[in-house]
Amino acid sequence: MKESYIFRSCLSSNGSRLNSLKSVLSELRLPFSPGDRIGIKLHWGEMGNKNYLPPIYAKEIIGWLKAKEIKPFVFDTTVLYSGGRREGRQSLITAAKHNYSEEYLGCRVTIGDGLDGKDVIDLPAGYKHFEKVQIGKVIKQADGFVILSHFKGHMETGFGAAIKNISMGFASRAQKQRMHADAKPSLNKKKCILCGECVKVCPVGAAAMEDKEYPVYDLSKCIGCAQCIAMCPEMALKIIWDTDVRVFQEKLVETAAAVWKSIQGRAVFVTALLNIVKDCDCLPGNHKTVVEDKGFIGAYHPVIADKEAIEIVGADVIDSIHKDIPWRRQFTYAQEIGF
Ligand code: SF4
Ligand code: SF4
């Protein structure tokens, strides 16, 4: 199959979102055989998030695979953030709360790097930032993958979809931290209302606040997860980068490219252009959509899938919500390293 093939099903005024997905699935040719164990990589949303992709679409994909005698399972990996997905057990509770349960989906729901986040392996990378990348062992445990991505904005990458899903989405916690390591918060005191939210959400205790004093951030402890920046109600925090602002985008792409070398030829990509909000599904809360729903796309390559998604949604939409993030670097760097 040609990697450049794209299938898109845009919503007509009376078209249902599920029909849009069905139409894309009917076009995709699968590189899998009956009996194969296929992992569906997705994000079931942080506890309290209201914008995650509803599980009905994963259920549709599961039914589509089962009809071909393929054995699907659903997975995500542990994360850096505090909240409902840091540890595997908590994450499965969060998944079930959002109906990503074995009972509803009809297949196993699991954690790709193990319940304790320690089921990981190194993959060779050979790029300028990473010689190797550390990834959930699931990459070796499945015969193939369906990468189901929810397209949306993101506070560090500008947008998040297929590239991010196989990069951060497959990465171990240590690898996630290596990618984030250069981002640190910087406070604009004029905007701060001393609410303490940044202290509450910091997963490593790097943010602290004395009574009625402005918060302070211990940058030697900070892991750069940007949770405080995203959750600040007054937008009083900005990211400062220890290195070139584009390095984070490059690290994201290098991890994705290393994963791609391992799953190329045994993965297909389905991206939902629905419920598109400014930031990712890692944040609690109900966030406003920034553009109307567009439907689904299917593809055989993550970079091509993301380029197509941007074209449909509009680069101007991403620029308007994250004007300081050099998200285009993901595409130029992918080209430079032959991804
Ligand atoms: S979350 Fe924002 S407004 Fe609240 S204390 Fe922290 S920096 Fe200040
Ligand atoms: S201070 Fe650093 S580690 Fe803590 S929430 Fe902010 S970015 Fe994350």
Side-chain angles (χ1 to χ4, degrees):
M1 74 198 55
K2 278 196 182 163
E3 286 181 342
S4 57
Y5 281 177
I6 288 276
F7 306 103
R8 59 157 91 171
S9 173
C10 296
L11 293 174
S12 57
S13 55
N14 57 0
S16 91
R17 283 145 186 76
L18 198 55
N19 282 341
S20 168
L21 173 60
K22 285 179 183 173
S23 157
V24 161
L25 296 183
S26 70
E27 298 280 359
L28 271 177
R29 272 168 297 122
L30 291 181
F32 315 136
S33 307
D36 279 357
R37 287 161 308 145
I38 300 303
I40 303 175
K41 170 66 188 74
L42 49 76
H43 187 320
W44 45 65
E46 183 50 81
M47 189 69 95
N49 177 275
K50 305 288 182 209
N51 307 106
Y52 63 90
L53 201 60
I56 190 170
Y57 305 116
K59 192 177 166 95
E60 182 65 31
I61 292 172
I62 290 161
W64 170 68
L65 292 172
K66 281 185 170 177
K68 298 175 189 309
E69 295 175 44
I70 287 163
K71 296 177 187 160
F73 68 94
V74 160
F75 73 97
D76 199 0
T77 52
T78 59
V79 301
L80 290 175
Y81 313 121
S82 53
R85 296 186 311 125
R86 184 169 168 81
E87 302 294 338
R89 267 179 230 291
Q90 288 169 331
S91 193
L92 291 176
I93 292 169
T94 303
K97 176 110 183 147
H98 293 172
N99 240 357
Y100 281 93
S101 62
E102 302 193 357
E103 195 182 22
Y104 176 74
L105 295 173
C107 74
R108 200 158 58 90
V109 179
T110 185
I111 303 295
D113 56 339
L115 289 179
D116 57 3
K118 292 183 182 159
D119 233 350
V120 299
I121 54 159
D122 282 337
L123 291 181
Y127 302 117
K128 70 178 179 187
H129 301 297
F130 297 128
E131 262 310 309
K132 57 187 182 179
V133 298
Q134 195 185 63
I135 300 298
K137 243 188 203 156
V138 68
I139 199 163
K140 297 291 182 202
Q141 292 161 343
D143 297 309
F145 296 93
V146 175
I147 309 297
L148 173 58
S149 307
H150 177 205
F151 184 95
K152 66 266 168 195
H154 190 275
M155 58 270 192
E156 286 183 318
T157 56
F159 74 96
I163 294 172
K164 185 158 181 297
N165 204 3
I166 64 165
S167 176
M168 284 292 171
F170 273 69
S172 69
R173 275 209 294 259
Q175 182 67 22
K176 287 179 172 98
Q177 188 175 336
R178 287 171 204 150
M179 284 189 266
H180 279 102
D182 306 303
K184 301 286 151 63
S186 156
L187 179 67
N188 178 348
K189 288 185 179 169
K190 284 191 194 138
K191 289 188 173 176
C192 178
I193 56 167
L194 307 177
C195 69
E197 190 61 24
C198 51
V199 177
K200 217 160 72 191
V201 298
C202 180
V204 293
M209 221 173 127
E210 298 291 334
D211 232 14
K212 299 211 166 64
E213 295 285 332
Y214 288 110
V216 288
Y217 307 92
D218 180 345
L219 300 188
S220 64
K221 271 195 198 166
C222 172
I223 57 170
C225 70
Q227 192 82 336
C228 55
I229 296 158
M231 294 307 292
C232 172
E234 300 299 313
M235 290 188 280
L237 290 165
K238 264 182 56 175
I239 296 179
I240 42 165
W241 297 90
D242 279 353
T243 52
D244 181 337
V245 65
R246 303 186 313 165
V247 166
F248 178 71
Q249 313 290 328
E250 292 173 0
K251 288 181 170 179
L252 183 87
V253 168
E254 287 192 3
T255 306
V259 168
W260 177 239
K261 280 189 217 166
S262 170
I263 66 172
Q264 185 170 15
R266 58 183 184 111
V268 295
F269 295 82
V270 176
T271 302
L273 309 175
L274 307 177
N275 209 5
I276 300 167
V277 296
K278 177 171 175 276
D279 288 316
C280 72
D281 299 336
C282 302
L283 301 180
N286 194 0
H287 306 276
K288 269 199 316 213
T289 55
V290 294
V291 66
E292 71 277 11
D293 288 356
K294 304 289 187 187
F296 282 83
I297 58 175
Y300 300 112
H301 192 293
V303 176
I304 291 169
D306 281 4
K307 277 187 179 163
E308 178 74 3
I310 294 274
E311 191 173 307
I312 296 172
V313 170
D316 56 324
V317 172
I318 307 303
D319 285 336
S320 70
I321 54 177
H322 291 298
K323 67 177 165 49
D324 296 327
I325 298 180
W327 55 267
R328 288 176 178 80
R329 182 64 183 145
Q330 291 178 46
F331 297 117
T332 56
Y333 192 57
Q335 192 170 16
E336 281 169 31
I337 65 171
F339 172 18

